């Protein structure tokens, strides 16, 4: 066992993460801090916010549109498709912003009683700084595309306040990791697609590169905190993680994007709900996430029903 970089804090000694060598956590945090020092981005500088918005570029990869592959998509003009994907991209960004704020709350609560000299806490605070920049970046991206301020449904927004004040430990890290990976799997396509608006591509690139550290941080925390967990605790963690993922995926595309893009809202909602192309894309892109959740015991029982409802299983 490698020597610990810091002495265990009072919080650690009281059993916040029983049976977990502090050195493993510290070594991971040290590597991630070094990565952050080498490669972090300031969106106010890296994104050209004054660049014109091309009229012939999609808001996001068209194959990720909820209507791609439907009869309605085939009937739409190219201008309508571009407009729809701009609204969908803005909706995705706004939900990302909403969840980033919840993530920051969770991280700050989690480190509140921990040793501030530890690399673990210092990386958590570095991540909060990253998420602050990401939140501003997502807000400016929607504004630059001239889109409305989308977000989750009002009741989900209110439930977020409860989540923000209640969830702790593994369920919080697992929920955050899952939500971030869902956004990440879409943005990896956006950033490489030359058909997509430059602002979307740059924002996606920054988020994907920095979130890679955050996802690794969360994955390792989940694995550590669930090691040796009882059956009852696993059941609790499973359902909480699945509920969070369910609401995040359901919130990604606000129903108003269709009417705001000039489409028949009812027909668009019906076709999107039955779009097997989109469902297959979500399922294939989320396979890595589902494999990890299963490996740490977070898939089973009622949680499977929720994952199937959002096409991740």
């Amino acid at each position: 066992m490698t020597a610990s970089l810091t002495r265990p804090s009072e919080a650690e000694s009281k059993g916040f993460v029983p049976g977990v060598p502090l050195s493993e956590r510290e070594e991971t945090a040290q590597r991630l801090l070094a990565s952050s020092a080498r490669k972090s981005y300031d969106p106010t500088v890296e994104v050209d916010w004054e660049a014109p918005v091309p009229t012939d570029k999609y808001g996001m990869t068209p194959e990720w549109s909820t209507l791609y592959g439907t009869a309605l998509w085939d009937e739409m003009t190219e201008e309508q498709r571009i407009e729809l994907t701009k609204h969908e991209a803005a909706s995705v960004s706004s939900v990302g912003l909403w969840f980033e704020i919840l993530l920051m709350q969770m991280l700050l609560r989690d480190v509140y009683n921990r040793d501030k000299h530890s690399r673990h806490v210092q990386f958590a605070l570095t991540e909060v700084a990253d998420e602050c920049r990401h939140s501003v970046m997502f807000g400016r991206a929607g504004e630059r595309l001239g889109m409305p301020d989308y977000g989750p449904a009002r009741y989900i927004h209110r439930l977020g306040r409860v989540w923000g004040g209640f969830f702790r430990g593994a369920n919080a890290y697992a929920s955050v990791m899952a939500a971030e990976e869902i956004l990440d799997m879409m943005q990896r396509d956006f950033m490489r697609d030359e058909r997509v608006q430059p602002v979307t591509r740059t924002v996606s690139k920054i988020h994907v590169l920095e979130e890679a550290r955050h996802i690794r941080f969360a994955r390792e925390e989940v694995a550590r905190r669930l090691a040796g967990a009882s059956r009852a605790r696993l059941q609790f963690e499973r359902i909480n993680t699945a509920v969070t993922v369910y609401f995040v995926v359901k919130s990604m595309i606000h129903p108003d994007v269709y009417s705001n893009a000039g489409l028949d809202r009812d027909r668009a909602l019906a076709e999107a709900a039955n779009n097997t192309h989109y469902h297959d894309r979500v399922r294939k892109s989320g396979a890595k996430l589902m494999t990890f959740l299963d490996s740490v015991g977070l898939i089973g029982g009622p949680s499977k029903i929720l994952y199937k409802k959002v096409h991740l299983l």
Side-chain angles (χ1 to χ4, degrees):
M1 181 182 299
T2 307
S4 171
L5 296 178
T6 68
R7 292 188 303 173
S9 66
E10 181 181 359
E12 295 283 356
S13 67
K14 289 181 179 179
F16 279 70
V17 280
V20 178
L22 183 61
S23 60
E24 292 181 10
R25 176 177 287 106
E26 288 292 274
E27 289 169 1
T28 294
Q30 181 66 53
R31 289 193 296 270
L32 296 176
L33 281 167
S35 175
S36 296
R38 288 193 304 271
K39 186 166 290 187
S40 290
Y41 299 90
D42 181 353
T44 61
V45 176
E46 300 289 343
V47 182
D48 185 357
W49 299 109
E50 302 304 319
V53 177
T55 58
D56 61 343
K57 297 284 187 181
Y58 292 100
M60 64 181 191
T61 297
E63 288 80 7
W64 269 108
S65 172
T66 53
L67 292 182
Y68 185 91
T70 66
L72 181 54
W73 179 269
D74 292 339
E75 295 170 19
M76 293 163 62
T77 65
E78 187 67 3
E79 291 75 15
Q80 287 176 314
R81 293 171 181 173
I82 288 171
E83 186 68 11
L84 172 62
T85 57
K86 286 166 65 177
H87 282 276
E88 288 178 313
S91 182
V92 169
S93 288
S94 69
V95 171
L97 193 164
W98 165 69
F99 208 80
E100 301 280 24
I101 293 172
L102 292 178
L103 164 58
M104 288 186 277
Q105 293 178 47
M106 183 278 292
L107 283 171
L108 290 171
R109 282 197 314 275
D110 190 60
V111 303
Y112 186 77
N113 288 325
R114 293 182 181 274
D115 181 359
K116 308 309 182 291
H117 293 175
S118 73
R119 297 298 182 266
H120 173 79
V121 169
Q122 290 168 17
F123 181 75
L125 295 175
T126 299
E127 181 171 343
V128 170
D130 290 344
E131 303 299 11
C132 281
R133 295 193 303 272
H134 295 172
S135 297
V136 173
M137 178 174 70
F138 284 145
R140 290 193 68 175
E143 177 188 9
R144 187 69 191 95
L145 292 176
M147 296 291 105
D149 180 19
Y150 291 112
R154 184 173 297 179
Y155 80 96
I156 296 177
H157 183 82
R158 289 176 176 171
L159 284 173
R161 290 182 180 274
V162 176
W163 188 95
F166 175 74
F167 284 87
R168 299 288 190 276
N171 56 63
Y173 276 100
S175 299
V176 165
M177 179 209 66
E180 293 286 8
E181 289 219 31
I182 289 165
L183 187 58
D184 183 79
M185 70 187 186
M186 302 172 74
Q187 289 184 321
R188 285 184 181 274
D189 286 341
F190 299 174
M191 66 186 244
R192 301 187 184 103
D193 195 338
E194 295 185 358
R195 298 170 297 171
V196 171
Q197 291 284 342
V199 66
T200 303
R201 295 185 65 197
T202 306
V203 164
S204 297
K205 178 181 178 180
I206 291 172
H207 194 249
V208 164
L209 292 176
E210 295 194 335
E211 284 302 323
R213 294 189 291 264
H214 304 172
I215 290 171
R216 180 179 177 187
F217 184 64
R219 277 183 174 233
E220 294 199 16
E221 279 301 295
V222 171
R224 289 189 190 104
R225 296 187 189 207
L226 288 179
S230 67
R231 182 176 179 180
R233 185 184 172 198
L234 276 177
Q235 292 283 13
F236 175 78
E237 305 285 8
R238 283 174 185 167
I239 194 64
N240 281 307
T241 301
V243 166
T244 303
V245 171
Y246 173 83
F247 280 128
V248 169
V249 176
K250 292 290 285 185
S251 298
M252 280 291 182
I253 304 299
H254 196 286
D256 287 349
V257 302
Y258 305 114
S259 51
N260 289 339
L263 303 176
D264 181 311
R265 174 180 164 133
D266 291 339
R267 182 185 173 190
L269 285 169
E271 295 214 21
N274 295 295
N275 187 356
T276 55
H277 167 86
Y278 182 77
H279 301 164
D280 288 344
R281 196 171 187 90
V282 170
R283 190 175 301 109
K284 289 176 183 176
S285 298
K288 182 179 177 182
L289 167 63
M290 291 293 102
T291 298
F292 172 77
L293 292 179
D294 189 43
S295 74
V296 294
L298 286 179
I299 296 180
S303 69
K304 288 186 175 181
I305 298 173
L306 291 173
Y307 290 125
K308 287 178 181 178
K309 282 183 175 293
V310 292
H311 314 293
L312 282 166
L313 284 177

